[in-house]
Every structure is written in structure tokens, then in C-alpha cells.
Amino acid sequence: MNNQEITEIPPNVIIGEDYNGWINLTAWKGFESRNGFYGSKDSKKVSNGIIKTHIIAESTDYVYVLSQAQFNAIKFLKENSELVRDSLLNGLLEDYPNAKEIYEDFMPEINTIADYKSNLGVAFLHIMNSEKDDYAYVGFELGCSWDEEHGVGVMMHKDRVVKIGLADESFNHWNCYHDNGTAEHERRKWEVTQELKHKKHKKWWKFWK
């Protein structure tokens, strides 16, 4: 079932813990083709809008499905790809002074969002298993001309930019947890998991101490 266009997957269908597919977003046609390793350029030709996608499935009693919130997010993205793209690029433009300070002469001259077209492209989409208001978060992992090794990561909720940083911010769950107010709950879950792992690895005689 892998490598299917994700818009064709209905909600609540079992897809496995991780699902790799693709989506055709016409708004990204003409940007750089970034399907190489670590979001590197793989072609001198521009992107045709087909983007590799990774879905982190929702778990219910150890059964992994495409949640309704993920389905809603994919549908919104497909129907509003230009709106989402422009919001993302405007977020990068607002962050430009910070990026310029970090990358200095490696940072190209960017004055409008149109200037990004020849300087970046989407390498991966990450459909997260966290949600807010019935829509899952979507992470954009982009390759860019100013940082070929680390790229750019943008976490979004519908057409709203949540976080901008290096590529790994596009699949950082904590960006979602902090935004939807579940960070403290998730932190407690993580602590309990670590505690259980620690107990599991204790020698039998240490339980008597």
C-alpha cells in the first residue's frame, strides 16, 4: 500500500506505524527539485509538484491508522496549496534577517517570496500524529541554497506557521505539543516511559533495595 498518493487514503484506514507516499501540490511547481539525499538538488529541472510524504500514523490499541485529523489536514493542504505555500514563504521572509545574520554571505538576496523559487524546494512533507482543532500538523522539510547540509524545516497548522528552523524542526513532535498545549502531558508520559525502561533493565536483586 506504500507509495500511494495520500489524498486517496480515507480516514481510519490501517496504514502501519509509518507510511511513505506522495502528494501532488501544484503550488510548488517551478521551485527547485529537492529529491536528493538530505534534500539536495536531484535535477537541473524544476519540480513538477510531486512531493514525497511521510505519515506518522495515529495509534489506537497498537493499530495504526490515518486519523480523521490527518485526513482533514491533507484535504486542506490539497485544496489550499497556494495559501499554505505563501504563508510558509512569508514566514521565511519575516525570518530572513535572522537567517542573514547566521549565514551571512551564503544567504542569497531575498526581497519577496518570489525570490525563494530559485533557492529552495520541498524535499518531504511530514504528516504528524498531533492535532489541534481537528486538523493535524504538517511539517515541510525543504532543501535550500544557503544550507545544503541542514536545509530548512517549517512546522505548520493549516496555513499558520508554527515553527521555523533547520530541517529537523519539520518532524519535531515538541513543536506540536507546545502549540496545542499538550507539552506537559507528553513530558509526563515520556518520564513514565523512561522510568519503566529503567526498571525493566534493573538486575533482579536490585528490586529488593
Side-chain angles (χ1 to χ4, degrees):
M1 185 177 175
N2 274 10
N3 205 29
Q4 180 180 2
E5 183 168 15
I6 61 171
T7 55
E8 298 176 357
I9 306 173
N12 302 313
V13 166
I14 298 174
I15 59 173
E17 187 172 357
D18 293 281
Y19 181 91
N20 294 306
W22 55 276
I23 189 170
N24 189 355
L25 298 178
T26 56
W28 291 97
K29 283 185 178 180
F31 283 75
E32 290 185 329
S33 181
R34 288 279 178 171
N35 292 316
F37 291 109
Y38 302 106
S40 61
K41 291 178 70 173
D42 65 318
S43 173
K44 291 182 180 180
K45 296 181 179 180
V46 296
S47 172
N48 59 4
I50 296 177
I51 300 167
K52 292 182 288 187
T53 306
H54 176 234
I55 301 173
I56 305 169
E58 180 74 25
S59 174
T60 304
D61 296 327
Y62 301 102
V63 175
Y64 294 91
V65 302
L66 183 80
S67 71
Q68 182 66 54
Q70 290 174 319
F71 176 83
N72 294 344
I74 293 167
K75 187 172 186 290
F76 181 89
L77 180 60
K78 184 73 173 181
E79 295 177 352
N80 301 276
S81 63
E82 291 186 4
L83 175 66
V84 175
R85 178 202 63 195
D86 289 350
S87 178
L88 184 154
L89 295 177
N90 276 311
L92 290 179
L93 190 61
E94 288 179 16
D95 189 63
Y96 179 80
N98 178 57
K100 182 68 174 176
E101 185 176 346
I102 294 171
Y103 294 101
E104 299 179 336
D105 293 340
F106 290 102
M107 194 70 196
E109 190 67 28
I110 302 289
N111 297 301
T112 69
I113 61 173
D115 294 332
Y116 283 110
K117 197 166 189 177
S118 59
N119 284 288
L120 58 72
V122 184
F124 285 99
L125 282 179
H126 301 277
I127 311 298
M128 309 299 287
N129 58 2
S130 296
E131 64 181 82
K132 183 176 183 179
D133 300 329
D134 299 322
Y135 285 86
Y137 291 85
V138 177
F140 285 74
E141 184 177 345
L142 305 109
C144 64
S145 61
W146 59 92
D147 192 337
E148 294 286 353
E149 183 178 355
H150 300 103
V152 176
V154 183
M155 184 66 74
M156 301 196 69
H157 184 258
K158 298 182 74 175
D159 61 330
R160 177 173 60 88
V161 173
V162 175
K163 178 76 173 183
I164 294 175
L166 299 180
D168 58 356
E169 297 294 358
S170 65
F171 49 88
N172 186 339
H173 292 273
W174 290 99
N175 290 331
C176 309
Y177 301 154
H178 286 297
D179 188 69
N180 66 11
T182 63
E184 188 57 36
H185 172 70
E186 293 295 337
R187 186 175 290 109
R188 286 197 298 269
K189 279 174 57 179
W190 181 85
E191 290 171 350
V192 168
T193 300
Q194 297 306 305
E195 188 176 324
L196 289 173
K197 285 182 180 179
H198 177 69
K199 287 181 178 179
K200 184 177 180 180
H201 288 92
K202 285 179 71 173
K203 300 298 183 181
W204 67 267
W205 63 84
K206 291 185 178 180
F207 284 100
W208 299 102
K209 296 181 178 180

Short mmCIF file of all heavy atoms in Angstrom, two decimals, residues 89-128:
data_model
loop_
_atom_site.label_atom_id
_atom_site.label_comp_id
_atom_site.label_asym_id
_atom_site.label_seq_id
_atom_site.Cartn_x
_atom_site.Cartn_y
_atom_site.Cartn_z
N LEU A 89 6.21 30.85 2.91
CA LEU A 89 7.25 31.71 2.36
C LEU A 89 7.27 33.08 3.03
O LEU A 89 8.34 33.66 3.24
CB LEU A 89 7.07 31.86 0.84
CG LEU A 89 7.24 30.58 0.02
CD1 LEU A 89 6.97 30.85 -1.45
CD2 LEU A 89 8.64 29.99 0.21
N ASN A 90 6.12 33.59 3.38
CA ASN A 90 6.07 34.85 4.12
C ASN A 90 6.71 34.70 5.50
O ASN A 90 7.35 35.63 6.01
CB ASN A 90 4.63 35.35 4.25
CG ASN A 90 4.18 36.14 3.04
OD1 ASN A 90 4.88 37.04 2.57
ND2 ASN A 90 3.01 35.80 2.50
N GLY A 91 6.54 33.51 6.10
CA GLY A 91 7.19 33.23 7.37
C GLY A 91 8.70 33.24 7.22
O GLY A 91 9.42 33.79 8.07
N LEU A 92 9.19 32.62 6.14
CA LEU A 92 10.63 32.63 5.87
C LEU A 92 11.14 34.05 5.61
O LEU A 92 12.25 34.41 6.03
CB LEU A 92 10.95 31.75 4.67
CG LEU A 92 10.80 30.23 4.85
CD1 LEU A 92 11.14 29.51 3.55
CD2 LEU A 92 11.66 29.71 5.98
N LEU A 93 10.33 34.84 4.91
CA LEU A 93 10.72 36.22 4.61
C LEU A 93 10.82 37.05 5.89
O LEU A 93 11.75 37.86 6.04
CB LEU A 93 9.73 36.85 3.64
CG LEU A 93 10.12 38.20 3.03
CD1 LEU A 93 11.42 38.07 2.22
CD2 LEU A 93 9.00 38.74 2.14
N GLU A 94 9.89 36.83 6.81
CA GLU A 94 9.95 37.54 8.09
C GLU A 94 11.17 37.12 8.90
O GLU A 94 11.75 37.91 9.65
CB GLU A 94 8.68 37.25 8.91
CG GLU A 94 7.43 37.92 8.36
CD GLU A 94 6.20 37.58 9.18
OE1 GLU A 94 6.36 37.08 10.31
OE2 GLU A 94 5.08 37.82 8.70
N ASP A 95 11.57 35.85 8.72
CA ASP A 95 12.74 35.33 9.43
C ASP A 95 14.05 35.63 8.70
O ASP A 95 15.13 35.30 9.20
CB ASP A 95 12.57 33.81 9.61
CG ASP A 95 13.61 33.20 10.53
OD1 ASP A 95 13.64 33.56 11.72
OD2 ASP A 95 14.41 32.36 10.06
N TYR A 96 13.96 36.25 7.54
CA TYR A 96 15.14 36.47 6.71
C TYR A 96 16.27 37.21 7.44
O TYR A 96 17.44 36.80 7.33
CB TYR A 96 14.76 37.22 5.43
CG TYR A 96 15.93 37.50 4.52
CD1 TYR A 96 16.42 36.51 3.67
CD2 TYR A 96 16.57 38.75 4.52
CE1 TYR A 96 17.50 36.75 2.84
CE2 TYR A 96 17.65 39.00 3.69
CZ TYR A 96 18.12 38.00 2.87
OH TYR A 96 19.19 38.24 2.05
N PRO A 97 16.00 38.30 8.18
CA PRO A 97 17.10 38.98 8.88
C PRO A 97 17.86 38.05 9.83
O PRO A 97 19.09 38.14 9.92
CB PRO A 97 16.38 40.10 9.66
CG PRO A 97 15.14 40.36 8.87
CD PRO A 97 14.72 39.01 8.37
N ASN A 98 17.16 37.17 10.49
CA ASN A 98 17.81 36.21 11.38
C ASN A 98 18.67 35.23 10.58
O ASN A 98 19.82 34.93 10.96
CB ASN A 98 16.76 35.45 12.18
CG ASN A 98 17.36 34.40 13.09
OD1 ASN A 98 18.20 34.70 13.94
ND2 ASN A 98 16.93 33.16 12.94
N ALA A 99 18.13 34.72 9.46
CA ALA A 99 18.89 33.80 8.62
C ALA A 99 20.11 34.49 8.02
O ALA A 99 21.19 33.89 7.93
CB ALA A 99 17.98 33.26 7.51
N LYS A 100 19.96 35.74 7.61
CA LYS A 100 21.06 36.50 7.03
C LYS A 100 22.19 36.68 8.05
O LYS A 100 23.38 36.59 7.71
CB LYS A 100 20.56 37.86 6.55
CG LYS A 100 21.62 38.73 5.88
CD LYS A 100 22.06 38.16 4.55
CE LYS A 100 23.00 39.11 3.82
NZ LYS A 100 23.51 38.53 2.57
N GLU A 101 21.81 36.92 9.28
CA GLU A 101 22.81 37.08 10.35
C GLU A 101 23.59 35.79 10.58
O GLU A 101 24.79 35.81 10.85
CB GLU A 101 22.11 37.51 11.64
CG GLU A 101 23.07 37.82 12.78
CD GLU A 101 22.35 38.33 14.01
OE1 GLU A 101 21.16 38.71 13.91
OE2 GLU A 101 22.98 38.36 15.08
N ILE A 102 22.90 34.66 10.46
CA ILE A 102 23.55 33.36 10.69
C ILE A 102 24.42 32.95 9.50
O ILE A 102 25.58 32.55 9.67
CB ILE A 102 22.48 32.28 10.96
CG1 ILE A 102 21.75 32.57 12.28
CG2 ILE A 102 23.13 30.89 10.99
CD1 ILE A 102 20.55 31.69 12.52
N TYR A 103 23.87 33.06 8.30
CA TYR A 103 24.54 32.53 7.12
C TYR A 103 25.39 33.55 6.37
O TYR A 103 26.17 33.18 5.50
CB TYR A 103 23.51 31.91 6.17
CG TYR A 103 22.85 30.69 6.74
CD1 TYR A 103 21.57 30.75 7.29
CD2 TYR A 103 23.51 29.47 6.75
CE1 TYR A 103 20.96 29.63 7.82
CE2 TYR A 103 22.91 28.33 7.29
CZ TYR A 103 21.63 28.43 7.82
OH TYR A 103 21.03 27.32 8.35
N GLU A 104 25.21 34.83 6.70
CA GLU A 104 26.00 35.92 6.12
C GLU A 104 26.02 35.84 4.59
O GLU A 104 24.99 35.85 3.96
CB GLU A 104 27.41 35.89 6.72
CG GLU A 104 27.40 36.10 8.24
CD GLU A 104 28.77 36.05 8.86
OE1 GLU A 104 29.69 35.44 8.27
OE2 GLU A 104 28.94 36.64 9.96
N ASP A 105 27.21 35.72 4.00
CA ASP A 105 27.32 35.77 2.53
C ASP A 105 26.75 34.55 1.82
O ASP A 105 26.55 34.57 0.60
CB ASP A 105 28.78 35.95 2.12
CG ASP A 105 29.33 37.31 2.52
OD1 ASP A 105 28.52 38.22 2.76
OD2 ASP A 105 30.57 37.45 2.61
N PHE A 106 26.49 33.47 2.58
CA PHE A 106 25.88 32.28 1.97
C PHE A 106 24.40 32.50 1.69
O PHE A 106 23.80 31.78 0.90
CB PHE A 106 26.05 31.06 2.88
CG PHE A 106 27.46 30.57 2.99
CD1 PHE A 106 28.23 30.87 4.10
CD2 PHE A 106 28.03 29.82 1.97
CE1 PHE A 106 29.54 30.43 4.19
CE2 PHE A 106 29.33 29.37 2.05
CZ PHE A 106 30.10 29.68 3.17
N MET A 107 23.83 33.50 2.35
CA MET A 107 22.39 33.77 2.21
C MET A 107 22.15 34.61 0.96
O MET A 107 22.71 35.71 0.83
CB MET A 107 21.87 34.50 3.45
CG MET A 107 20.36 34.53 3.56
SD MET A 107 19.71 32.88 3.94
CE MET A 107 17.97 33.12 3.53
N PRO A 108 21.35 34.13 0.01
CA PRO A 108 21.08 34.91 -1.20
C PRO A 108 20.24 36.14 -0.89
O PRO A 108 19.60 36.23 0.18
CB PRO A 108 20.31 33.92 -2.09
CG PRO A 108 19.66 32.98 -1.12
CD PRO A 108 20.62 32.85 0.03
N GLU A 109 20.23 37.07 -1.81
CA GLU A 109 19.41 38.28 -1.65
C GLU A 109 17.94 37.91 -1.88
O GLU A 109 17.55 37.47 -2.96
CB GLU A 109 19.85 39.34 -2.65
CG GLU A 109 19.25 40.71 -2.40
CD GLU A 109 19.74 41.36 -1.11
OE1 GLU A 109 20.87 41.06 -0.68
OE2 GLU A 109 18.98 42.15 -0.54
N ILE A 110 17.13 38.06 -0.85
CA ILE A 110 15.70 37.75 -0.92
C ILE A 110 14.91 39.00 -0.54
O ILE A 110 15.04 39.51 0.57
CB ILE A 110 15.33 36.60 0.04
CG1 ILE A 110 16.14 35.33 -0.26
CG2 ILE A 110 13.83 36.32 -0.02
CD1 ILE A 110 15.78 34.63 -1.53
N ASN A 111 14.10 39.49 -1.47
CA ASN A 111 13.30 40.69 -1.21
C ASN A 111 11.80 40.41 -1.20
O ASN A 111 11.04 41.10 -0.54
CB ASN A 111 13.62 41.77 -2.25
CG ASN A 111 15.07 42.22 -2.18
OD1 ASN A 111 15.51 42.70 -1.14
ND2 ASN A 111 15.80 42.07 -3.27
N THR A 112 11.38 39.39 -1.94
CA THR A 112 9.97 39.00 -1.99
C THR A 112 9.90 37.48 -1.91
O THR A 112 10.90 36.78 -2.12
CB THR A 112 9.30 39.47 -3.30
OG1 THR A 112 9.85 38.72 -4.40
CG2 THR A 112 9.54 40.96 -3.53
N ILE A 113 8.71 36.95 -1.68
CA ILE A 113 8.58 35.49 -1.59
C ILE A 113 8.87 34.83 -2.94
O ILE A 113 9.27 33.67 -2.99
CB ILE A 113 7.20 35.07 -1.06
CG1 ILE A 113 6.07 35.53 -1.98
CG2 ILE A 113 6.99 35.59 0.36
CD1 ILE A 113 4.70 34.98 -1.57
N ALA A 114 8.72 35.57 -4.04
CA ALA A 114 9.02 35.02 -5.37
C ALA A 114 10.50 34.68 -5.51
O ALA A 114 10.88 33.79 -6.27
CB ALA A 114 8.60 35.99 -6.45
N ASP A 115 11.36 35.37 -4.75
CA ASP A 115 12.80 35.13 -4.83
C ASP A 115 13.19 33.76 -4.27
O ASP A 115 14.29 33.26 -4.56
CB ASP A 115 13.57 36.22 -4.07
CG ASP A 115 13.43 37.58 -4.71
OD1 ASP A 115 13.24 37.64 -5.95
OD2 ASP A 115 13.50 38.60 -3.99
N TYR A 116 12.32 33.16 -3.48
CA TYR A 116 12.62 31.84 -2.94
C TYR A 116 12.50 30.74 -3.99
O TYR A 116 13.03 29.65 -3.81
CB TYR A 116 11.69 31.51 -1.77
CG TYR A 116 12.07 32.21 -0.49
CD1 TYR A 116 11.27 33.23 0.02
CD2 TYR A 116 13.21 31.86 0.22
CE1 TYR A 116 11.61 33.88 1.21
CE2 TYR A 116 13.56 32.50 1.40
CZ TYR A 116 12.75 33.52 1.89
OH TYR A 116 13.10 34.15 3.06
N LYS A 117 11.82 31.03 -5.08
CA LYS A 117 11.51 30.00 -6.07
C LYS A 117 12.76 29.34 -6.64
O LYS A 117 12.77 28.14 -6.92
CB LYS A 117 10.66 30.59 -7.19
CG LYS A 117 9.95 29.55 -8.04
CD LYS A 117 8.87 30.20 -8.89
CE LYS A 117 8.01 29.14 -9.58
NZ LYS A 117 6.90 29.75 -10.36
N SER A 118 13.82 30.11 -6.82
CA SER A 118 15.06 29.57 -7.38
C SER A 118 16.09 29.25 -6.31
O SER A 118 17.26 29.03 -6.62
CB SER A 118 15.65 30.56 -8.39
OG SER A 118 15.91 31.81 -7.76
N ASN A 119 15.64 29.20 -5.06
CA ASN A 119 16.59 28.97 -3.96
C ASN A 119 16.18 27.84 -3.01
O ASN A 119 16.95 27.51 -2.12
CB ASN A 119 16.78 30.25 -3.15
CG ASN A 119 17.65 31.26 -3.86
OD1 ASN A 119 18.86 31.08 -3.97
ND2 ASN A 119 17.04 32.32 -4.37
N LEU A 120 15.01 27.25 -3.22
CA LEU A 120 14.60 26.15 -2.36
C LEU A 120 13.54 25.29 -3.02
O LEU A 120 12.98 25.64 -4.05
CB LEU A 120 14.11 26.67 -1.00
CG LEU A 120 12.95 27.67 -0.89
CD1 LEU A 120 11.60 27.02 -1.21
CD2 LEU A 120 12.87 28.25 0.50
N GLY A 121 13.26 24.17 -2.40
CA GLY A 121 12.20 23.27 -2.85
C GLY A 121 11.85 22.32 -1.73
O GLY A 121 12.64 22.12 -0.79
N VAL A 122 10.66 21.74 -1.79
CA VAL A 122 10.21 20.82 -0.74
C VAL A 122 10.80 19.44 -0.98
O VAL A 122 10.64 18.86 -2.06
CB VAL A 122 8.67 20.73 -0.70
CG1 VAL A 122 8.24 19.83 0.46
CG2 VAL A 122 8.05 22.12 -0.55
N ALA A 123 11.49 18.91 0.03
CA ALA A 123 12.07 17.57 -0.05
C ALA A 123 11.09 16.52 0.48
O ALA A 123 10.94 15.45 -0.10
CB ALA A 123 13.38 17.51 0.73
N PHE A 124 10.44 16.82 1.61
CA PHE A 124 9.49 15.91 2.24
C PHE A 124 8.38 16.70 2.90
O PHE A 124 8.58 17.82 3.37
CB PHE A 124 10.16 15.06 3.34
CG PHE A 124 11.04 13.96 2.85
CD1 PHE A 124 12.41 14.13 2.79
CD2 PHE A 124 10.51 12.73 2.47
CE1 PHE A 124 13.23 13.12 2.35
CE2 PHE A 124 11.33 11.71 2.03
CZ PHE A 124 12.69 11.90 1.98
N LEU A 125 7.23 16.06 2.98
CA LEU A 125 6.16 16.51 3.87
C LEU A 125 6.04 15.49 4.99
O LEU A 125 6.11 14.28 4.74
CB LEU A 125 4.82 16.60 3.14
CG LEU A 125 4.57 17.81 2.25
CD1 LEU A 125 3.20 17.68 1.60
CD2 LEU A 125 4.67 19.10 3.02
N HIS A 126 5.85 15.95 6.20
CA HIS A 126 5.65 15.07 7.35
C HIS A 126 4.25 15.33 7.91
O HIS A 126 3.98 16.43 8.40
CB HIS A 126 6.71 15.33 8.42
CG HIS A 126 8.10 15.12 7.95
ND1 HIS A 126 8.70 13.87 7.91
CD2 HIS A 126 9.03 16.00 7.47
CE1 HIS A 126 9.93 13.99 7.44
NE2 HIS A 126 10.16 15.27 7.15
N ILE A 127 3.38 14.35 7.79
CA ILE A 127 2.03 14.46 8.35
C ILE A 127 2.11 13.92 9.78
O ILE A 127 2.26 12.72 10.00
CB ILE A 127 0.99 13.66 7.53
CG1 ILE A 127 1.13 13.99 6.04
CG2 ILE A 127 -0.41 13.95 8.04
CD1 ILE A 127 0.88 15.43 5.68
N MET A 128 2.00 14.82 10.74
CA MET A 128 2.22 14.46 12.13
C MET A 128 0.98 13.78 12.73
O MET A 128 -0.14 13.92 12.21
CB MET A 128 2.58 15.70 12.93
CG MET A 128 3.72 16.52 12.34
SD MET A 128 5.28 15.62 12.22
CE MET A 128 5.76 15.55 13.95
#
